[in-house]
Amino acid sequence: MKSKHTQARPATSPRGTHLMLRYAFIAATLACVVGAFAWTAGWFSQRLTPQRIVDGFEGMSGVHPGFRRNHAKGICVTGRFESNGAGAALSKASVFKAGVYPVMGRLSAPGSDPTEADERAMVRSFALSFSLPDGEQWRTAMNSAPIFAVRTPEALYEQLAASERDARTGRLNPLKMDAFLKKHPETRAFHSYIETHPPASGFDNATYYSINAFRFTDANGNARYVRWSVVPETPYEPVREDAARDADFLAHDLVSRLARWPIRWHLMISVAQPGDPVDDSTRLWPAERDRERVDAGTVVIDHAQSQIDGPCRNISFDPLILPAGIAPSSDPLLAARSSTYAVSFNRRTREEARFTAGRN
């Protein structure tokens, strides 16, 4: 695939719109943020396939050949994880043994349109792949909101349908979204969070959350459910009004900062206590879980590369690629991600292959 640097279209801020239209926009954004969580055996009828879910994401802004169907606009990053050994008390995973491990990742904004202006992004995302001893890998895909708007793959599919734009006007239908919100009151928590937590001014000063729970097993066989986050050393600041003048300010600012110094986040692990939900991504854990977090080490990013030909180009950040000592929970969204990620990956790589063959 050959592509020039993204040229984003200017966009109109959603401020001042009718409340329901704003909720429709938020929910449409979330439909992209949750990223292709759609299919796993037993969750859907035979008529609903991962291919149809990916079709739903494509329907939100059209097909952009060679790009990811979600988080189409992003930038590759590389660096290391400096493990301090504290995480070994919770998991036997090799990543938590004291040492330094290479990481490769991708910072992105939600959506299937690689030309979308950054000012429209209410959420930032950070995907990481840790290269570990003995050929193991740990991949994680995190968002800057700590919860999802929907709990199940079925609800996601309904949300995609409610977020579909009118073919003639290109606009969302607030009546469809109103019906979805009434059927799924659990989405209110996400709406409330987005309304009260402005997005960070850059990729570097946002906290990113695993959202889903995972099961950690230590060297003695003790199992605990956890969620994690990466917390920046750079102080949080809300997005600036003047950032809208640059449609690609997130990547531009990241590159500028990395030219001066590496960017660091602390990997913080929160442990569930009895009664904390481990299979519902729409519900936060009590605030004291964050106060009791374990600092397992530091993610250090020191280089950025174009997503067109950078190291993250041909990787799927499947969060079920896990080292021994980390296992998925029973969260239905988490269990549904792998097969739909694979469909998206296969589509874009086939498009790239056809493009390359056409040039030869």
Side-chain angles (χ1 to χ4, degrees), residues 26-209:
I26 292 173
T29 297
L30 219 290
C32 296
V33 170
V34 296
F37 299 151
W39 164 272
T40 191
W43 288 113
F44 286 116
S45 70
Q46 293 182 351
R47 293 187 301 169
L48 185 57
T49 65
Q51 287 79 8
R52 286 188 61 195
I53 294 296
V54 176
D55 290 344
F57 283 100
E58 291 178 352
M60 299 186 71
S61 61
V63 177
H64 299 271
F67 287 92
R68 296 170 192 259
R69 275 22 186 195
N70 181 38
H71 299 277
K73 185 178 185 180
I75 186 169
C76 298
V77 292
T78 51
R80 62 191 182 275
F81 175 57
E82 299 174 349
S83 177
N84 59 23
L90 301 175
S91 171
K92 65 182 180 182
S94 57
V95 69
F96 297 124
K97 296 178 181 178
V100 178
Y101 307 98
V103 298
M104 181 272 293
R106 189 170 183 272
L107 288 155
S108 64
S112 55
D113 184 354
T115 69
E116 186 87 327
D118 288 349
E119 71 163 308
R120 295 181 66 87
M122 296 184 177
V123 176
R124 287 85 171 89
S125 297
F126 194 6
L128 281 172
S129 177
F130 299 74
S131 295
L132 305 175
D134 300 322
E136 283 192 311
Q137 289 192 10
W138 178 25
R139 298 184 188 178
T140 178
M142 301 171 286
N143 294 326
S144 62
I147 50 176
F148 284 138
V150 295
R151 181 176 182 270
T152 66
E154 292 88 344
L156 172 65
Y157 185 70
E158 293 175 22
Q159 186 181 36
L160 283 169
S163 303
E164 187 177 45
R165 295 181 181 274
D166 184 272
R168 183 177 59 85
T169 66
R171 295 180 179 178
L172 297 170
N173 184 334
L175 296 179
K176 289 184 178 180
M177 187 52 61
D178 183 36
F180 171 81
L181 293 171
K182 288 179 179 177
K183 183 177 179 180
H184 294 281
E186 70 274 13
T187 63
R188 295 171 184 165
F190 178 83
H191 295 155
S192 176
Y193 185 88
I194 292 297
E195 291 286 350
T196 56
H197 293 77
S201 60
F203 282 136
D204 64 309
N205 63 348
T207 296
Y208 300 93
Y209 302 89

